[in-house]
Amino acid sequence: MARVPAAVVAASGLVGGYGVARWTGKRQLGGAVLAAAGVASAWQWHRRAGGKAAGALTAAYVAAFAGSHPLARKVGAWPSVFTVAGAVALASWAVADRRDAR
């Protein structure tokens, strides 16, 4: 079975968490999706790039979630979510996933 890059898992967690919260009206359910993807991503980051990189990328994931809220006031909810998800995916690829792509 092919490995799913951590970048995809992290970006999917941010987009999916927001989507689930919005479409179900249950923020806690969206938070569970966000948290599950965050844990899965952190585990992959740790395994592929080590503890320091995993810590930095986990901090970026949490910061992206938090930063999407004020950004949404300026550009809208979905554009904000896609922007921060893309930023986290790019960081994940650069730090952890690029090695597996070779």
Side-chain angles (χ1 to χ4, degrees):
M1 185 168 161
R3 279 195 264 190
V4 177
V8 173
V9 176
S12 297
L14 289 161
V15 173
Y18 175 69
V20 166
R22 179 163 180 153
W23 289 317
T24 64
K26 306 221 182 281
R27 295 177 70 182
Q28 299 86 349
L29 191 55
V33 170
L34 178 78
V39 168
S41 298
W43 180 77
Q44 287 183 330
W45 293 326
H46 189 272
R47 206 176 89 239
R48 293 178 185 169
K52 288 184 182 180
L57 288 167
T58 300
Y61 185 80
V62 172
F65 167 70
S68 69
H69 293 82
L71 181 60
R73 289 187 203 107
K74 296 180 187 216
V75 300
W78 281 111
S80 172
V81 170
F82 287 130
T83 298
V84 300
V88 168
L90 182 60
S92 176
W93 178 82
V95 173
D97 295 327
R98 180 172 43 166
R99 296 176 187 148
D100 288 343
R102 295 180 198 193

PDB file of all heavy atoms in Angstrom, residues 7 10-11 14 45 57 60-61 64 83-93:
ATOM      1  N   ALA A   7       2.070  15.706   4.325  1.00  0.00           N
ATOM      2  CA  ALA A   7       1.539  16.974   3.821  1.00  0.00           C
ATOM      3  C   ALA A   7       0.062  16.838   3.456  1.00  0.00           C
ATOM      4  O   ALA A   7      -0.747  17.730   3.746  1.00  0.00           O
ATOM      5  CB  ALA A   7       2.341  17.439   2.604  1.00  0.00           C
ATOM      6  N   ALA A  10      -2.014  16.408   6.772  1.00  0.00           N
ATOM      7  CA  ALA A  10      -2.145  17.675   7.503  1.00  0.00           C
ATOM      8  C   ALA A  10      -3.113  18.627   6.802  1.00  0.00           C
ATOM      9  O   ALA A  10      -4.007  19.208   7.445  1.00  0.00           O
ATOM     10  CB  ALA A  10      -0.780  18.322   7.677  1.00  0.00           C
ATOM     11  N   ALA A  11      -2.943  18.791   5.500  1.00  0.00           N
ATOM     12  CA  ALA A  11      -3.833  19.692   4.767  1.00  0.00           C
ATOM     13  C   ALA A  11      -5.272  19.182   4.808  1.00  0.00           C
ATOM     14  O   ALA A  11      -6.209  19.969   4.982  1.00  0.00           O
ATOM     15  CB  ALA A  11      -3.356  19.836   3.323  1.00  0.00           C
ATOM     16  N   LEU A  14      -6.918  20.082   8.144  1.00  0.00           N
ATOM     17  CA  LEU A  14      -7.368  21.476   8.248  1.00  0.00           C
ATOM     18  C   LEU A  14      -8.627  21.715   7.413  1.00  0.00           C
ATOM     19  O   LEU A  14      -9.605  22.287   7.892  1.00  0.00           O
ATOM     20  CB  LEU A  14      -6.246  22.424   7.815  1.00  0.00           C
ATOM     21  CG  LEU A  14      -5.079  22.507   8.801  1.00  0.00           C
ATOM     22  CD1 LEU A  14      -3.835  23.071   8.128  1.00  0.00           C
ATOM     23  CD2 LEU A  14      -5.461  23.350  10.005  1.00  0.00           C
ATOM     24  N   TRP A  45       5.656  12.962  10.892  1.00  0.00           N
ATOM     25  CA  TRP A  45       6.764  13.915  10.912  1.00  0.00           C
ATOM     26  C   TRP A  45       7.879  13.424  11.827  1.00  0.00           C
ATOM     27  O   TRP A  45       9.052  13.530  11.483  1.00  0.00           O
ATOM     28  CB  TRP A  45       6.276  15.291  11.360  1.00  0.00           C
ATOM     29  CG  TRP A  45       5.359  15.968  10.405  1.00  0.00           C
ATOM     30  CD1 TRP A  45       5.382  15.891   9.045  1.00  0.00           C
ATOM     31  CD2 TRP A  45       4.273  16.842  10.721  1.00  0.00           C
ATOM     32  NE1 TRP A  45       4.374  16.666   8.505  1.00  0.00           N
ATOM     33  CE2 TRP A  45       3.683  17.254   9.513  1.00  0.00           C
ATOM     34  CE3 TRP A  45       3.733  17.309  11.914  1.00  0.00           C
ATOM     35  CZ2 TRP A  45       2.596  18.125   9.457  1.00  0.00           C
ATOM     36  CZ3 TRP A  45       2.652  18.172  11.870  1.00  0.00           C
ATOM     37  CH2 TRP A  45       2.094  18.573  10.651  1.00  0.00           C
ATOM     38  N   LEU A  57       6.723  21.454  13.040  1.00  0.00           N
ATOM     39  CA  LEU A  57       5.600  21.295  12.118  1.00  0.00           C
ATOM     40  C   LEU A  57       4.263  21.206  12.863  1.00  0.00           C
ATOM     41  O   LEU A  57       3.253  21.720  12.380  1.00  0.00           O
ATOM     42  CB  LEU A  57       5.808  20.066  11.233  1.00  0.00           C
ATOM     43  CG  LEU A  57       6.897  20.227  10.176  1.00  0.00           C
ATOM     44  CD1 LEU A  57       7.253  18.880   9.558  1.00  0.00           C
ATOM     45  CD2 LEU A  57       6.476  21.226   9.104  1.00  0.00           C
ATOM     46  N   ALA A  60       3.384  24.657  13.652  1.00  0.00           N
ATOM     47  CA  ALA A  60       2.886  25.313  12.440  1.00  0.00           C
ATOM     48  C   ALA A  60       1.438  24.909  12.154  1.00  0.00           C
ATOM     49  O   ALA A  60       0.622  25.741  11.735  1.00  0.00           O
ATOM     50  CB  ALA A  60       3.776  24.965  11.249  1.00  0.00           C
ATOM     51  N   TYR A  61       1.115  23.646  12.392  1.00  0.00           N
ATOM     52  CA  TYR A  61      -0.253  23.147  12.188  1.00  0.00           C
ATOM     53  C   TYR A  61      -1.230  23.876  13.112  1.00  0.00           C
ATOM     54  O   TYR A  61      -2.277  24.356  12.677  1.00  0.00           O
ATOM     55  CB  TYR A  61      -0.262  21.642  12.452  1.00  0.00           C
ATOM     56  CG  TYR A  61      -1.558  20.921  12.179  1.00  0.00           C
ATOM     57  CD1 TYR A  61      -1.922  20.568  10.889  1.00  0.00           C
ATOM     58  CD2 TYR A  61      -2.403  20.551  13.226  1.00  0.00           C
ATOM     59  CE1 TYR A  61      -3.094  19.868  10.634  1.00  0.00           C
ATOM     60  CE2 TYR A  61      -3.577  19.849  12.987  1.00  0.00           C
ATOM     61  CZ  TYR A  61      -3.920  19.511  11.687  1.00  0.00           C
ATOM     62  OH  TYR A  61      -5.085  18.824  11.450  1.00  0.00           O
ATOM     63  N   ALA A  64      -1.501  27.490  12.099  1.00  0.00           N
ATOM     64  CA  ALA A  64      -2.316  27.627  10.887  1.00  0.00           C
ATOM     65  C   ALA A  64      -3.802  27.609  11.243  1.00  0.00           C
ATOM     66  O   ALA A  64      -4.583  28.422  10.737  1.00  0.00           O
ATOM     67  CB  ALA A  64      -1.988  26.512   9.901  1.00  0.00           C
ATOM     68  N   THR A  83      -5.662  28.474   2.177  1.00  0.00           N
ATOM     69  CA  THR A  83      -4.364  29.136   2.263  1.00  0.00           C
ATOM     70  C   THR A  83      -3.503  28.527   3.358  1.00  0.00           C
ATOM     71  O   THR A  83      -2.337  28.181   3.128  1.00  0.00           O
ATOM     72  CB  THR A  83      -4.541  30.651   2.507  1.00  0.00           C
ATOM     73  OG1 THR A  83      -5.251  31.207   1.399  1.00  0.00           O
ATOM     74  CG2 THR A  83      -3.206  31.347   2.664  1.00  0.00           C
ATOM     75  N   VAL A  84      -4.068  28.380   4.543  1.00  0.00           N
ATOM     76  CA  VAL A  84      -3.259  27.827   5.642  1.00  0.00           C
ATOM     77  C   VAL A  84      -2.968  26.349   5.428  1.00  0.00           C
ATOM     78  O   VAL A  84      -1.891  25.863   5.774  1.00  0.00           O
ATOM     79  CB  VAL A  84      -3.890  28.093   7.033  1.00  0.00           C
ATOM     80  CG1 VAL A  84      -4.030  29.594   7.280  1.00  0.00           C
ATOM     81  CG2 VAL A  84      -5.207  27.380   7.222  1.00  0.00           C
ATOM     82  N   ALA A  85      -3.911  25.621   4.837  1.00  0.00           N
ATOM     83  CA  ALA A  85      -3.666  24.201   4.541  1.00  0.00           C
ATOM     84  C   ALA A  85      -2.528  24.065   3.535  1.00  0.00           C
ATOM     85  O   ALA A  85      -1.666  23.193   3.681  1.00  0.00           O
ATOM     86  CB  ALA A  85      -4.937  23.543   4.012  1.00  0.00           C
ATOM     87  N   GLY A  86      -2.514  24.927   2.539  1.00  0.00           N
ATOM     88  CA  GLY A  86      -1.425  24.905   1.556  1.00  0.00           C
ATOM     89  C   GLY A  86      -0.092  25.243   2.176  1.00  0.00           C
ATOM     90  O   GLY A  86       0.940  24.625   1.853  1.00  0.00           O
ATOM     91  N   ALA A  87      -0.087  26.196   3.084  1.00  0.00           N
ATOM     92  CA  ALA A  87       1.166  26.585   3.744  1.00  0.00           C
ATOM     93  C   ALA A  87       1.711  25.440   4.595  1.00  0.00           C
ATOM     94  O   ALA A  87       2.915  25.147   4.572  1.00  0.00           O
ATOM     95  CB  ALA A  87       0.939  27.832   4.602  1.00  0.00           C
ATOM     96  N   VAL A  88       0.841  24.767   5.328  1.00  0.00           N
ATOM     97  CA  VAL A  88       1.274  23.633   6.160  1.00  0.00           C
ATOM     98  C   VAL A  88       1.736  22.479   5.272  1.00  0.00           C
ATOM     99  O   VAL A  88       2.742  21.831   5.555  1.00  0.00           O
ATOM    100  CB  VAL A  88       0.154  23.195   7.123  1.00  0.00           C
ATOM    101  CG1 VAL A  88       0.477  21.860   7.772  1.00  0.00           C
ATOM    102  CG2 VAL A  88      -0.065  24.258   8.183  1.00  0.00           C
ATOM    103  N   ALA A  89       1.018  22.226   4.197  1.00  0.00           N
ATOM    104  CA  ALA A  89       1.412  21.156   3.279  1.00  0.00           C
ATOM    105  C   ALA A  89       2.785  21.438   2.672  1.00  0.00           C
ATOM    106  O   ALA A  89       3.626  20.533   2.585  1.00  0.00           O
ATOM    107  CB  ALA A  89       0.366  20.986   2.178  1.00  0.00           C
ATOM    108  N   LEU A  90       3.024  22.666   2.290  1.00  0.00           N
ATOM    109  CA  LEU A  90       4.320  23.031   1.720  1.00  0.00           C
ATOM    110  C   LEU A  90       5.435  22.855   2.752  1.00  0.00           C
ATOM    111  O   LEU A  90       6.497  22.297   2.443  1.00  0.00           O
ATOM    112  CB  LEU A  90       4.289  24.470   1.204  1.00  0.00           C
ATOM    113  CG  LEU A  90       5.565  24.983   0.542  1.00  0.00           C
ATOM    114  CD1 LEU A  90       5.907  24.129  -0.676  1.00  0.00           C
ATOM    115  CD2 LEU A  90       5.384  26.429   0.143  1.00  0.00           C
ATOM    116  N   ALA A  91       5.204  23.303   3.964  1.00  0.00           N
ATOM    117  CA  ALA A  91       6.209  23.144   5.022  1.00  0.00           C
ATOM    118  C   ALA A  91       6.464  21.671   5.310  1.00  0.00           C
ATOM    119  O   ALA A  91       7.616  21.247   5.459  1.00  0.00           O
ATOM    120  CB  ALA A  91       5.750  23.863   6.292  1.00  0.00           C
ATOM    121  N   SER A  92       5.404  20.879   5.359  1.00  0.00           N
ATOM    122  CA  SER A  92       5.549  19.453   5.611  1.00  0.00           C
ATOM    123  C   SER A  92       6.344  18.779   4.505  1.00  0.00           C
ATOM    124  O   SER A  92       7.245  17.981   4.762  1.00  0.00           O
ATOM    125  CB  SER A  92       4.168  18.795   5.727  1.00  0.00           C
ATOM    126  OG  SER A  92       4.288  17.399   5.874  1.00  0.00           O
ATOM    127  N   TRP A  93       6.024  19.110   3.283  1.00  0.00           N
ATOM    128  CA  TRP A  93       6.748  18.523   2.158  1.00  0.00           C
ATOM    129  C   TRP A  93       8.227  18.892   2.223  1.00  0.00           C
ATOM    130  O   TRP A  93       9.094  18.033   2.058  1.00  0.00           O
ATOM    131  CB  TRP A  93       6.143  18.981   0.833  1.00  0.00           C
ATOM    132  CG  TRP A  93       6.899  18.424  -0.322  1.00  0.00           C
ATOM    133  CD1 TRP A  93       6.757  17.184  -0.870  1.00  0.00           C
ATOM    134  CD2 TRP A  93       7.951  19.072  -1.035  1.00  0.00           C
ATOM    135  NE1 TRP A  93       7.658  17.028  -1.890  1.00  0.00           N
ATOM    136  CE2 TRP A  93       8.407  18.168  -2.018  1.00  0.00           C
ATOM    137  CE3 TRP A  93       8.551  20.323  -0.946  1.00  0.00           C
ATOM    138  CZ2 TRP A  93       9.431  18.479  -2.901  1.00  0.00           C
ATOM    139  CZ3 TRP A  93       9.569  20.630  -1.830  1.00  0.00           C
ATOM    140  CH2 TRP A  93       9.999  19.719  -2.784  1.00  0.00           C
TER     141      TRP A  93
END
